[in-house]
Amino acid sequence: MESSLMYRRTLTAALAAVPLVLLSACGGGGDDADGGSGSAAACEPSGEDVELTFVTWVPGMDQVVELWNQKNPDIQVTVQETPAGNAGTYNNLFNGLEAGTSPDLSQIEYDSLSSFRLQDGLTDISACPGVADAEGQFADWTWQQTKLGDDGVYAIPQDSGPMALYYRKDLFDQAGITTPPTTWDAYYEAAKQLKQATGAYITHFPQADANWFTGLLWQRGASLFELDGDQVRVTVDSPEAQEVAQYWQRMIDEDLVATNLQGFSPELYAAWTNGSVASWPSAAWGYSTIRDNAASTTGKWAVADLPQWAEGDQAAGNWGGSTTAVLSSSDHPAEAAEFALWLNTDPEALALENELGGLYPAATAGADLPALEQGIEFYGGQTIFDVFNAAAGEVDTDFTWGPTMTDTYTAMSDGFTDALNGQGTLVDTLTAAESASRESLEAQGVPVAD
């Protein structure tokens, strides 16, 4: 991780954060006495008017926060809209924590929580009013992710990202593909058929986007790390991961996927709109990304289950998902925790977040939101969240994050960029990323298994 806040942690501190990364079931401020993250023991409301700052990259979140501000004149929240975490926001937060300029709250993805914990960047809010009673309101695995392997609670779950396949039904029909491919072998054959009939690429392989690829590894059961007693075993370059890399390398070598497009870019949105890219394996939150950036294609898209590695399998990957975390520099953890709970449990807030930002709520009540039970006009009236609800139950809950995911993702992203420019392969990328991950763990005093 490239941050001036980076420093070597003791063995005990490093391993204390590692258990966080095990998914277990699917479905203030300042330092404390021992120098760790902010203590929850003194989490009491300040009894005065409070102003908080919240960093997020969810579209429309300013409108959700405006609703809070209208109802809570004594706790006012200012939104800072930023790029996604690994696009620079996390590094800025680490630097801000060191300089004392970080916000009170931030959106932090599940896979990055342990990195912030290692840097003493999070407040344990378990003793803040309402937090202990909130556990049952969230999908079990999302709540366990926030506990970081101990009795603390270091964030409130926001959303998750079960994956499915978005596809241009009109283009598939034009190519004679009357049903969406149910296996990755069928997806490869569909790519050839689609390219020949319409000239369209079946999808794009995004440059420098390790998070998307990790979602595909997750579906294949290719966990990036494992716990081995008191050690961490790095498995980025596992046989299962190599199988995924070899599959997509074949698609790249045969010119069946677009390789010149960045994810979430105007060029990608234009490709969706003009039909030169015809599908996207993506997460539940992606429904609004297509809707809002390819608006003229209303009614042409549909959603199907993610293709499987073997016919009859039922496995889904997970891409993304975030929490709302109270940073250790906040002077008002009780009020910050109160806002985070409201943001991620209030039915009106959840509905707005889904409508404006495309979030798939981590709160169990989110499944009952009317918006998630209705047909979506942009997708031809399909009740697309039925697909994602099913996928959420098919996500492997044993997938393991490492405590230095930023370094792992950086190595993967750099390797993908090289491979897409003809310098090495995706398999080479996994080998290099495994080596970089081991070096990163060892540099922070985390014991690494051979």
Side-chain angles (χ1 to χ4, degrees):
M1 182 182 308
E2 295 181 1
S3 168
S4 57
L5 189 60
M6 175 66 72
Y7 55 92
R8 186 172 304 207
R9 303 295 296 158
T10 65
L11 174 62
T12 301
L15 285 180
V18 172
L20 152 74
V21 299
L22 286 177
L23 305 182
S24 58
C26 194
D31 293 340
D32 57 19
D34 65 6
S37 298
S39 172
C43 191
E44 298 290 341
S46 63
E48 58 186 14
D49 289 352
V50 168
E51 294 184 359
L52 304 173
T53 303
F54 172 41
V55 165
T56 180
W57 52 88
V58 175
M61 190 60 80
D62 57 330
Q63 297 182 50
V64 183
V65 173
E66 183 180 351
L67 178 64
W68 163 271
N69 286 336
Q70 291 172 357
K71 296 182 176 183
N72 298 272
D74 56 334
I75 306 175
Q76 293 289 286
V77 179
T78 299
V79 172
Q80 291 183 355
E81 297 181 353
T82 64
N86 285 315
T89 293
Y90 291 155
N91 277 340
N92 289 338
L93 288 173
F94 286 126
N95 291 331
L97 285 165
E98 183 180 36
T101 59
S102 60
D104 296 275
L105 304 109
S106 181
Q107 179 179 353
I108 298 178
E109 293 156 296
Y110 298 108
D111 53 7
S112 295
L113 279 174
S114 55
S115 295
F116 279 86
R117 179 72 175 98
L118 279 173
Q119 308 308 323
D120 289 338
L122 305 177
T123 294
D124 177 2
I125 58 173
S126 58
C128 295
V131 173
D133 297 331
E135 179 173 358
Q137 300 182 55
F138 296 93
D140 290 343
W141 76 267
T142 64
W143 187 265
Q144 291 302 317
Q145 290 256 322
T146 71
K147 293 179 69 66
L148 298 180
D150 58 35
D151 293 330
V153 175
Y154 295 90
I156 301 298
Q158 177 174 284
D159 70 313
S160 62
M163 295 180 72
L165 179 68
Y166 299 90
Y167 68 102
R168 280 280 300 264
K169 188 175 184 303
D170 61 325
L171 295 176
F172 275 49
D173 287 345
Q174 183 180 336
I177 307 169
T178 56
T179 58
T182 58
T183 66
W184 286 112
D185 284 342
Y187 190 73
Y188 164 75
E189 295 297 333
K192 293 192 294 184
Q193 190 172 339
L194 186 72
K195 183 88 178 288
Q196 183 176 10
T198 70
Y201 290 111
I202 197 165
T203 193
H204 71 295
F205 192 100
Q207 297 190 35
D209 195 339
N211 303 65
W212 172 78
F213 190 79
T214 299
L216 299 178
L217 295 179
W218 194 331
Q219 185 207 23
R220 183 63 186 86
S223 189
L224 301 177
F225 299 87
E226 296 176 356
L227 292 181
D228 185 0
D230 62 352
Q231 297 181 314
V232 177
R233 185 178 304 280
V234 184
T235 55
V236 175
D237 195 23
S238 68
E240 293 82 5
Q242 290 181 15
E243 183 178 0
V244 179
Q246 290 165 355
Y247 174 88
W248 288 98
Q249 188 66 53
R250 181 185 186 189
M251 297 280 271
I252 292 167
D253 291 344
E254 297 185 19
D255 195 30
L256 296 176
V257 295
T259 59
N260 62 339
L261 299 172
Q262 296 283 0
F264 309 100
S265 66
E267 294 77 16
L268 174 61
Y269 303 148
W272 286 342
T273 300
N274 64 31
S276 57
V277 171
S279 74
W280 188 30
S282 186
W285 45 260
Y287 95 95
S288 63
T289 305
I290 301 175
R291 179 199 65 190
D292 296 343
N293 295 287
S296 65
T297 60
T298 295
K300 297 180 179 180
W301 290 84
V303 178
D305 294 334
L306 203 63
Q308 300 293 307
W309 286 97
E311 192 71 59
D313 284 354
Q314 290 183 312
N318 187 87
W319 178 15
S322 298
T323 68
T324 306
V326 179
L327 300 185
S328 57
S329 55
S330 177
D331 293 325
H332 304 288
E335 290 82 2
E338 180 182 352
F339 167 73
L341 284 170
W342 174 88
L343 185 71
N344 297 304
T345 61
D346 181 83
E348 193 171 2
L350 294 178
L352 273 177
E353 291 160 22
N354 176 261
E355 177 186 352
L356 300 174
L359 296 187
Y360 183 81
T364 54
D368 297 325
L369 290 176
L372 271 64
E373 297 176 339
Q374 298 173 359
I376 307 298
E377 180 182 359
F378 182 85
Y379 295 92
Q382 181 184 357
T383 53
I384 64 171
F385 287 105
D386 289 349
V387 179
F388 292 110
N389 285 339
E394 296 166 354
V395 173
D396 178 7
T397 60
D398 289 331
F399 190 90
T400 307
W401 301 119
T404 56
M405 286 304 302
T406 302
D407 289 340
T408 301
Y409 281 156
T410 297
M412 291 173 69
S413 295
D414 290 347
F416 291 155
T417 299
D418 289 343
L420 293 175
N421 286 287
Q423 301 173 11
T425 67
L426 300 183
V427 172
D428 295 335
T429 295
L430 295 179
T431 303
E434 174 152 329
S435 178
S437 298
R438 292 179 62 89
E439 292 174 2
S440 176
L441 291 170
E442 290 169 350
Q444 296 200 60
V446 178
V448 180
D450 293 331

